[in-house]
Amino acid sequence: MKIVVINGSPKGNKLSFTMQYIYYAQKMFPHVEFNSINIGQKLNNMKIKEETFQEILKEMISADGILWCFPVYVFLVPAQLKKFIELLFENNAGEALKGKFSGVLSTSMNFFDNTAFDYMHAIIEDLNMKYTGFFSNNSFDFDKIERRKTFYTFIKNILFAIENQLPTPRRFNTLNIRKNFVFTPSEVLDEHKLDSNGKKIIIITENYNEKSNLGKMIRKFKSSFKNEIDVYNIDSIDIKGGCISCLTCGYDNQCIYNDGYPDFIRNKLRNNDIIVYALTLKDRYFSSRYKLFLDRAFFNGHTPIIEGVQMCYLLSGSLSQIENLRQIIMALSEIGGGNLVEIITDEFGESEEINDLIYNMAKKALEFSNSGYIQTPTFNSVGGYKIFRDMIYGLPGVLFQADYRFYKKRKMFDFPKNKLIYRIMRLIFKSKKARGLFKKKMFKIFFRPYNKFFKKLDVEQEIREFGI
Ligand SMILES: Cc1cc2nc3c(=O)[nH]c(=O)nc-3n(C[C@H](O)[C@H](O)[C@H](O)COP(=O)(O)O)c2cc1C
């Protein structure tokens, strides 16, 4: 039996944590041929020769099963692997790969590994292949026998499914893309144009046709303001290659690449009040170029890089059918420290409605920026930063010293304490009588401070203190 391993790690076959599982599988299943293809490195500059791509595709077609093996990069697969997936679609590979069994294997810090798996699950089905599950492990957990046992079973299940040609349930519908809708932007009357009042606003986009819906949505947003809004095209930023996870940046946030990207982030992306991403959806995400743009931001470490910024999205595509992508957008804004104002797409409504939505988003972003409104944290950042905190405090913090300094300065090493009072209370609460007594008074105790607060509340004083 032959399994083709699509290795998306930009570190290649030898230095990849994820690939260690393949070497393990080779030892545990010696009758199976695991043929690894080093996609992450081959596509580091996001290009691949046509004949090399065709050879890889041929190899995939000849396999009994495919294992997608990659590190999680910024909630998804690395940009290099994303590019390869785009090439598969461009080459109609779904026809030749139809019915092939496919599993997903990844290592990470378990920070949004779930969104990466969700993406790959959908992609496998879009390529008409049979999804046989995922295996996710923390980069440093290979030494745990129970994890290796799970991995062993994961591979065994894939092999069993192939041998017995088992049916697999389908989870995702094919994307139903709105066709023939042409958005017509309306003009904004001079007296309704918004004054940015010194707020810095930029639009980040990719090559787009001015006559496309996205182009016209950008035009509408820009024309909502009296002031000129800068538009940056990520295709014209000098990006020499994808993040190779060399971790050089960990010490002082200096990227090993000598190209225009770090400068763009420091001088153009940072220090804005409102950032608009204007993008077109590609397969179940955005383009690999945009992914490259995000991956390379890794040189900033695990710190919020859009703190206090109002984030707006103008999207062309079927976002409502890709809930995973919406989750990613929401989490990215939140973890970055920004506030997601709105996501406007061209998938619903007529031009009039979309025009109103875009204008209102611009207005809302200005108001939020003026009042410093930032949505309260949810599981995304509360949970996410706990993972980062533990990681930076531990062994990886030796490499990520810039993060360590940042977390220390911001008092982010906020581990819970096992206070003496809690320990005493736990002892007391071992008694059924004590638990019963507490239960009777529990809500009174919990709400005592609220009651006190409401008695004293002076509404006008409160609003004055908000400073809005
Ligand atoms: C650019 C970049 C982005 C990353 N993004 C994530 C992430 O979103 N979530 C996560 O848990 N780990 C993330 N990681 C950590 C890697 O997933 C992890 O180190 C992985 O084990 C590396 O696997 P490899 O050695 O096979 O390349 C990121 C690492 C890099 C370099």
Side-chain angles (χ1 to χ4, degrees), residues 214-324:
L214 187 69
K216 289 185 277 184
M217 287 162 89
I218 292 174
R219 195 167 100 205
K220 173 71 195 184
F221 184 86
K222 284 181 74 184
S223 71
S224 303
F225 289 89
K226 281 182 191 150
N227 328 71
E228 200 48 48
I229 309 287
D230 288 333
V231 180
Y232 294 103
N233 182 345
I234 55 177
D235 293 278
S236 41
I237 305 170
D238 165 36
I239 305 181
K240 292 222 156 50
C243 177
I244 50 167
S245 189
C246 64
L247 305 187
T248 309
C249 56
Y251 186 74
D252 55 3
N253 300 132
Q254 297 298 320
C255 183
I256 196 163
Y257 279 105
N258 189 11
D259 59 13
Y261 181 80
D263 185 55
F264 178 85
I265 296 294
R266 290 197 185 102
N267 301 323
K268 301 283 192 292
L269 186 102
R270 278 185 183 264
N271 306 320
N272 285 294
D273 299 294
I274 299 171
I275 298 178
V276 182
Y277 276 107
L279 302 164
T280 301
L281 272 61
K282 195 154 190 176
D283 57 64
R284 304 264 175 171
Y285 188 74
F286 302 114
S287 73
S288 51
R289 177 74 186 178
Y290 171 73
K291 187 62 180 41
L292 178 75
F293 176 83
L294 281 190
D295 287 358
R296 284 285 307 276
F298 190 72
F299 80 90
N300 293 287
H302 305 80
T303 58
I305 66 164
I306 45 162
E307 232 172 2
V309 178
Q310 300 299 328
M311 302 296 297
C312 302
Y313 281 82
L314 292 173
L315 304 181
S316 183
S318 311
L319 182 70
S320 71
Q321 295 165 51
I322 318 172
E323 185 51 32
N324 192 46

Side-chain angles (χ1 to χ4, degrees), residues 151-213:
F151 177 70
Y152 176 78
T153 314
F154 163 74
I155 295 290
K156 230 174 133 182
N157 286 343
I158 296 179
L159 301 179
F160 185 79
I162 295 172
E163 274 157 12
N164 296 284
Q165 291 295 301
L166 295 183
T168 53
R170 193 174 167 113
R171 176 174 159 197
F172 296 94
N173 244 327
T174 40
L175 291 177
N176 187 5
I177 294 162
R178 187 183 195 187
K179 289 193 189 100
N180 304 326
F181 170 67
V182 179
F183 170 62
T184 312
S186 59
E187 290 308 317
V188 179
L189 296 175
D190 278 351
E191 62 262 39
H192 291 146
K193 283 194 190 279
L194 304 164
D195 189 341
S196 65
N197 251 328
K199 293 280 174 198
K200 285 195 198 155
I201 307 172
I202 61 164
I203 299 177
I204 297 179
T205 185
E206 288 183 82
N207 272 340
Y208 64 90
N209 178 343
E210 296 209 339
K211 291 188 182 133
S212 67
N213 283 353

Side-chain angles (χ1 to χ4, degrees), residues 9 11 16-18 71-75 107-111 139:
S9 173
K11 291 194 288 190
S16 154
F17 282 108
T18 324
V72 176
Y73 270 19
V74 198
F75 304 61
T107 62
S108 66
M109 293 294 144
N110 297 119
F111 173 86
S139 314

Side-chain angles (χ1 to χ4, degrees), residues 36 56 65 89 114 134 195 236 242-243 275 282 404 420 432:
S36 306
I56 296 172
F89 285 114
N114 52 326
F134 72 87
D195 189 341
S236 41
C243 177
I275 298 178
K282 195 154 190 176
Y404 189 90
L420 181 64
K432 199 174 172 188

